[in-house]
Amino acid sequence: WGDASAELLPNQLLESSGVAARLLFTWAAHAARALERTLAEFLPRVQEAAFLASITEHASALSPPLSRLGLRIQPMLRAQLRAAVIAFCSRNFNAALEHWRRAVPTLVAAPAPKPDAHKIEPHKTEQSKSDGRAQPLAPPHSLLAFPPLAVFANHLLMSLNELRPCAPQELRRPVARTLAATLVAAATLVAAPIPTQRHAHAQSTQAPRTSGLRPLCSALAHALLPHVLSAFDCLLPPWTPP
């Protein structure tokens, strides 16, 4: 993407053959650099997935005109927009994890719920007999026994839903890694207070609280995790070659 005036001799600049094309290419190259700088500065400020999808659509519309001039900006746009979607996803998951971090101490200190309150329901994904597509997923009612856990699940599902207009299939793996790291961190936060509790309280006080964590961990592993993963598969299903 060099300057046409630096590539041609002075006497060649006087000739009309090829000069206009080179100058037009130089202008297109400067326009592509300006677009790259604008996206690099503006994309980190985007806080809404619909706005990010609109930027993707308008930026992609510039590709066909510039391609006629010999410029392929798809790799540049793909890298920047891909990074913006992943950063947007990470911010939402981190916000959900931070909310869960604040709620875990209240769950640890709360008394154990009644036995019937934390009965875990088997996770089911109904399939349509006509076309085999998955029906809308119903959240497991066992999460309602732990309101902070239900709020955490709803936060994750909202984050996944916001990715619908701007998450292409190629982002399935990086989004899955980010989601898995968030779920592992959430489970670690539940297990972390247990050793501290053993040293800080007597055995008679610690035993009921530790037993109260068991239904919470069971709901996290057998209700929240399968439901969130099913929602993720609906958003970015595995690609199967034709």
Side-chain angles (χ1 to χ4, degrees):
W1 295 2
D3 190 355
S5 61
E7 297 177 1
L8 298 178
L9 297 176
N11 59 343
Q12 292 176 327
L13 289 174
L14 298 177
E15 300 177 1
S16 60
S17 177
V19 175
R22 286 180 174 269
L23 292 178
L24 186 59
F25 180 85
T26 302
W27 170 85
H30 284 293
R33 292 193 186 98
L35 176 61
E36 182 180 12
R37 291 191 298 267
T38 301
L39 291 178
E41 181 179 359
F42 191 71
L43 283 177
R45 306 178 185 179
V46 178
Q47 302 293 331
E48 297 181 3
F51 197 9
L52 184 58
S54 178
I55 294 176
T56 303
E57 181 179 358
H58 286 80
S60 300
L62 298 176
S63 179
L66 293 179
S67 63
R68 298 190 185 99
L69 303 177
L71 290 178
R72 295 183 66 253
I73 64 173
Q74 293 93 338
M76 178 192 72
L77 296 178
R78 177 177 176 271
Q80 287 189 309
L81 296 173
R82 174 189 173 106
V85 173
I86 295 175
F88 178 82
C89 174
S90 299
R91 285 197 301 267
N92 287 345
F93 287 162
N94 289 337
L97 185 61
E98 180 61 26
H99 187 275
W100 173 248
R101 189 193 314 275
R102 297 177 182 178
V104 166
T106 62
L107 290 170
V108 174
K114 298 180 180 180
D116 295 339
H118 54 75
K119 183 178 180 181
I120 305 301
E121 302 172 355
H123 181 76
K124 297 181 180 179
T125 303
E126 298 181 358
Q127 301 290 333
S128 174
K129 296 181 180 179
S130 59
D131 55 4
R133 292 178 297 179
Q135 297 295 323
L137 298 175
H141 296 287
S142 56
L143 294 177
L144 298 178
F146 307 94
L149 187 61
V151 172
F152 178 59
N154 189 54
H155 205 159
L156 292 178
L157 295 176
M158 289 179 59
S159 301
L160 291 175
N161 190 51
E162 288 184 353
L163 292 177
R164 286 182 179 272
C166 61
Q169 173 65 30
E170 64 175 329
L171 293 183
R172 172 180 168 85
R173 183 168 296 181
V175 173
R177 286 197 297 263
T178 306
L179 179 60
T182 302
L183 293 173
V184 170
T188 304
L189 290 173
V190 177
I194 296 179
T196 304
Q197 219 174 3
R198 289 176 179 174
H199 295 286
H201 300 278
Q203 183 68 22
S204 58
T205 306
Q206 179 266 341
R209 294 183 177 180
T210 304
S211 61
L213 289 178
R214 294 175 182 174
L216 171 64
C217 296
S218 180
L220 180 64
H222 301 291
L224 182 141
L225 181 60
H227 183 64
V228 171
L229 294 182
S230 297
F232 172 76
D233 285 335
C234 291
L235 173 66
L236 295 172
W239 180 80
T240 55

